[in-house]
Amino acid sequence: MAAVALRSCRRGLSHLLSNRGLAALSSPHLEGVRRHKSTVQYASRPDLPKLAYRRVKGKSPGVVFLPGYGSNMNGQKAEALEEFCRSLGHSYLRFDYTGHGASGGVLSEATIGTWKKDVLYVLDELVEGPQIMVGSSIGGWFMLLAAIARPEKTAALVGISTAADLIVTSYNALPLETRKEFEEKGEWIMPSKHTEEGLYKFSMDFLREAENHCVLQSPIPITCPVRLIHGLKDEDVPWHISMQVAERILSNDVDVILRRHGQHRMSERDDIKLMVYTIDDLIDKLTTLV
């Protein structure tokens, strides 16, 4: 059983702002990121859509950022992480899933398995050595799937509002009659405040395929260090999902960090500072172990 610790930062973030490049999170530096950020590149894959990515070369362990559903690699967390990794000289990669952002493919035709393949391609072909995977929302689900499939390429995991199994469990929690109505229509229409249309649409085929990738029904065979950050005011992904993940992961080095006022996106300045602090701490830990 994983050891679960509910903890706050062991070191003061104000101290860290003057240490190891964390001052890069100040506004002037973030403006610099926009001026000097990495160039978009494209990976061509046989019989699969091209993947758009941005990469900074550097030391190991590297960091790979996995965005949320419907999001892309140009969000605040992703850009702040690039500047942080650049300041430390560590490698960093962020990318868009199939059907997202600048990548090829059609969102409505992709599946959980499609996006898992995207992450595995990144680990196999675009980065070198073990990586710290940072997964936001559904990206937290993908990082778990990737860590199970590629333990040798996984140095540590950082989940932000981890949405493991959420699409499947949310649908299965609906009343039976409601599910029958959606099945007759052939799709599940889910309200969302994160899209212009105010909803997400998932086909029944998408939901059935997603069931093949659920991880919370049994022990999760991951043994690397894991940090799970979640906001108690997250209205999209209940914080107890991070607790469930922590309870099922086999690693003995698992921390759950709960932010009392944290919301789903975790993109406020203090949220990003906490994320960066957590990765900084893991880099120290992994470097010391080596």
Side-chain angles (χ1 to χ4, degrees):
M1 184 64 67
V4 182
L6 300 179
R7 66 184 180 91
S8 58
C9 297
R10 290 195 298 262
R11 289 180 287 171
L13 286 171
S14 59
H15 167 70
L16 283 171
L17 283 174
S18 60
N19 187 35
R20 302 197 66 200
L22 291 188
L25 293 181
S26 63
S27 297
H29 285 274
L30 286 178
E31 290 174 3
V33 175
R34 298 186 186 98
R35 289 194 298 269
H36 307 294
K37 64 186 178 183
S38 54
T39 303
V40 177
Q41 301 179 65
Y42 295 92
S44 296
R45 304 177 293 171
D47 303 319
L48 290 173
K50 65 181 180 181
L51 283 184
Y53 66 95
R54 294 178 182 269
R55 179 171 56 191
V56 175
K57 294 185 178 181
K59 299 181 293 186
S60 294
V63 177
V64 174
F65 183 77
L66 312 181
Y69 177 81
S71 187
N72 59 57
M73 60 178 166
N74 297 320
Q76 290 173 290
K77 295 189 292 294
E79 294 204 343
L81 273 182
E82 177 170 314
E83 176 64 7
F84 170 67
C85 289
R86 190 190 298 275
S87 73
L88 291 187
H90 281 261
S91 67
Y92 176 68
L93 187 142
R94 48 185 166 125
F95 70 104
D96 290 334
Y97 307 121
T98 296
H100 290 68
S103 287
V106 179
L107 177 62
S108 61
E109 296 175 0
T111 65
I112 299 299
T114 299
W115 298 320
K116 175 184 173 181
K117 287 181 182 178
D118 292 346
V119 181
L120 295 182
Y121 179 86
V122 166
L123 293 178
D124 293 340
E125 304 294 337
L126 301 182
V127 298
E128 297 180 1
Q131 304 291 310
I132 298 174
M133 282 188 278
V134 183
S136 177
S137 192
I138 202 172
W141 186 1
F142 300 153
M143 78 176 183
L144 297 173
L145 294 172
I148 293 169
R150 299 289 190 275
E152 74 282 0
K153 297 301 292 282
T154 307
L157 302 178
V158 178
I160 312 293
S161 309
T162 299
D165 299 6
L166 181 67
I167 294 173
V168 174
T169 54
S170 296
Y171 180 75
N172 290 338
L174 296 173
L176 180 59
E177 289 301 317
T178 303
R179 278 181 280 157
K180 285 183 178 179
E181 292 177 7
F182 285 127
E183 288 168 9
E184 290 174 359
K185 295 177 181 178
E187 66 180 2
W188 174 31
I189 300 175
M190 179 183 181
S192 172
K193 60 185 179 182
H194 300 302
T195 66
E196 292 182 4
E197 299 83 3
L199 52 85
Y200 289 136
K201 291 183 179 180
F202 299 109
S203 70
M204 291 300 111
D205 288 341
F206 178 93
L207 288 165
R208 282 188 284 270
E209 196 275 343
E211 291 176 349
N212 299 324
H213 303 287
C214 290
V215 296
L216 293 179
Q217 307 98 322
S218 58
I220 302 174
I222 292 173
T223 57
C224 66
V226 178
R227 304 292 180 263
L228 301 166
I229 303 172
H230 218 123
L232 293 179
K233 293 188 176 180
D234 188 338
E235 297 180 352
D236 299 285
V237 181
W239 60 266
H240 66 74
I241 290 181
S242 284
M243 298 299 295
Q244 289 177 314
V245 172
E247 289 169 356
R248 286 161 176 74
I249 282 181
L250 296 180
S251 173
N252 289 320
D253 186 0
V254 181
D255 286 353
V256 178
I257 306 168
L258 300 177
R259 287 189 62 75
R260 185 172 65 177
H261 298 297
Q263 301 184 34
H264 179 64
R265 289 189 181 276
M266 297 291 287
S267 57
E268 297 296 325
R269 179 176 169 79
D270 285 344
D271 297 331
I272 292 176
K273 284 161 56 179
L274 174 58
M275 175 187 66
V276 169
Y277 157 76
T278 303
I279 296 166
D280 179 70
D281 190 49
L282 283 169
I283 288 174
D284 277 345
K285 182 183 185 73
L286 294 169
T287 304
T288 301
L289 288 175
V290 173

